[in-house]
Structures are given as C-alpha cells and as structure tokens.
Amino acid sequence: ALTATPLHAGVDFANRPFDATHRALTNFSDWSLTDDSNSDGTTDWIMSTTSSTSSSSVASGLWTASNRALTLNGTIPAGSTVLSRVVCRDTSSTAGGVQIRVSVPTTGVSTHLSGLLTLELQSDGTQTLTVSEETGVGVFARLAVSPQLSSGLQDIHCVMNPSSRTLHVWVNGVWMGAHRISLVSSPSVTATVQIQAGAGNCEFDRCEVSTQSSSGTSVENTL
C-alpha cells in the first residue's frame, strides 16, 4: 500500500569487488621499481640479489631480471587475505624460472600459510605453472601443475585466504583451482610477497599486491 512503512532489504553479493588496502603497484611503464604507489612514505618493493651473476634492467615497460628478487616493503598483518597479481614470463629454460611466494601469518598463533607459484619455460617453448605449499623451511610440496601455457606473458592472480586456509589461482582470467594450504611454523619468507627471477632471464610487466582484513569476509570468486 502507498501508505505502508517502506521495507528495506540488504543482500550480500558473493561476487562483490575486492575492497582492499593497496600495498604495491608497479607496471614498469608508469611506475618504477622505487616508486611509492600507495603514498605511505616508503617504496613498495625492496630489491635484492640472489646470486653473484644477477642482472636487472627496465626497458619498454618491462623489468628483465636474472637472480633478483622483489620483496614487499613492510609486513602483512596477521590474518589478512592477500591478493597478488604478476604479469610475467620465463624467457630462458635454465633453472629457476619466475617464483612468486606469498606468506601470511594466521591470527593469534605463531604459524603461517606459505605458497609458491613457479613459472618455467620448457624445451618445447611452452611454460608450466606449478603451485606448491611450504611444509618446512624451504621445503615445498607440489599441489598442482598447469602445463602447455604459451611462451608469452602470463597474467597470474592468486588469493591467499587465512580464514579458509586456501590458495586460489587464476591464469589469464581463467580459474585454475583452489588449494588447501597447511600451516607451517617457520616459512622461508615471513608475512610478505616475494617475486623472484631465477638463473635465466625473466620478464615482468606488472606486479601488484593488495590486502584485506579477513574478519568474516570471503573474497573467493571475486576476480
């Protein structure tokens, strides 16, 4: 009836956008390795060498590196859901390839979730993405393998959710699956995202990290 008291209803959509705290964004065209894209007073990434034969250069909007690592500057708060996006490819079939590590401490306990995504060029010119979980310091157990990816740049998304202890992975917008992650007391990297180039040259076009409090909110299926 026109004179009745209006009724209001709220619906929680499962596919709502990822309402997150921006931590880092580098695309090597508009932003450089030393930029502070979120204006928090510090550079987004800390770059380190992993071998004496390391190299690094930025040209034509790409970071080409060998034996170098970018580590998120600052720690990820315990219990945070972490969204990482890396556009990259391995251009040399020597050991290492591209490595993306995500480590998140859980809330209230001294344990972590730690995952590793490795993208490696194969002898036939394709690339293989391997998803692993860390079970001990520097010890990884394989969870899934996606072979026969093209030799071009791959757009890799991953969401680490401490609430459900899951790691979700997308490649070029295609969902590759959800993986249950075991707790590990002492991961090789702690409360951070690390992007590393192995012994051969690797190219990176975009590196982005956002975090969100996991207080009762699921971000699964939002990409």
Side-chain angles (χ1 to χ4, degrees), residues 1-84:
L2 294 177
T3 58
T5 302
L7 295 176
H8 298 277
V11 178
D12 188 13
F13 288 99
N15 289 330
R16 61 189 177 281
F18 190 87
D19 184 13
T21 299
H22 175 62
R23 300 297 298 270
L25 172 60
T26 303
N27 69 3
F28 309 109
S29 294
D30 303 311
W31 299 280
S32 71
L33 288 166
T34 58
D35 273 350
D36 174 19
S37 65
N38 59 355
S39 302
D40 65 353
T42 61
T43 58
D44 294 340
W45 302 98
I46 298 173
M47 185 163 62
S48 59
T49 61
T50 60
S51 170
S52 60
T53 58
S54 64
S55 62
S56 174
S57 63
V58 177
S60 301
L62 293 175
W63 176 45
T64 302
S66 173
N67 290 319
R68 289 285 179 101
L70 293 179
T71 304
L72 189 68
N73 195 355
T75 58
I76 296 172
S80 298
T81 295
V82 181
L83 167 67
S84 301

Side-chain angles (χ1 to χ4, degrees), residues 132-198:
S132 306
E133 64 174 350
E134 190 166 11
T135 58
V137 182
V139 179
F140 294 90
R142 187 171 60 187
L143 297 172
V145 178
S146 300
Q148 298 295 311
L149 300 175
S150 75
S151 61
L153 291 166
Q154 303 297 310
D155 190 348
I156 301 172
H157 284 81
C158 63
V159 173
M160 180 80 83
N161 191 332
S163 295
S164 58
R165 297 184 184 177
T166 53
L167 176 64
H168 292 247
V169 180
W170 291 257
V171 177
N172 301 322
V174 178
W175 188 54
M176 308 301 286
H179 309 281
R180 181 78 171 179
I181 302 295
S182 304
L183 293 173
V184 58
S185 58
S186 300
S188 51
V189 297
T190 304
T192 193
V193 174
Q194 185 180 83
I195 299 163
Q196 183 173 328

Side-chain angles (χ1 to χ4, degrees), residues 65-152:
S66 173
N67 290 319
R68 289 285 179 101
L70 293 179
T71 304
L72 189 68
N73 195 355
T75 58
I76 296 172
S80 298
T81 295
V82 181
L83 167 67
S84 301
R85 179 186 179 191
V86 181
V87 179
C88 56
R89 67 171 178 159
D90 181 14
T91 62
S92 174
S93 57
T94 54
V98 174
Q99 298 179 35
I100 305 168
R101 297 189 184 189
V102 182
S103 173
V104 186
T106 57
T107 304
V109 292
S110 57
T111 51
H112 298 72
L113 300 177
S114 180
L116 170 67
L117 283 72
T118 304
L119 184 67
E120 296 177 296
L121 183 67
Q122 306 300 307
S123 58
D124 63 358
T126 64
Q127 296 181 92
T128 296
L129 178 69
T130 304
V131 181
S132 306
E133 64 174 350
E134 190 166 11
T135 58
V137 182
V139 179
F140 294 90
R142 187 171 60 187
L143 297 172
V145 178
S146 300
Q148 298 295 311
L149 300 175
S150 75
S151 61

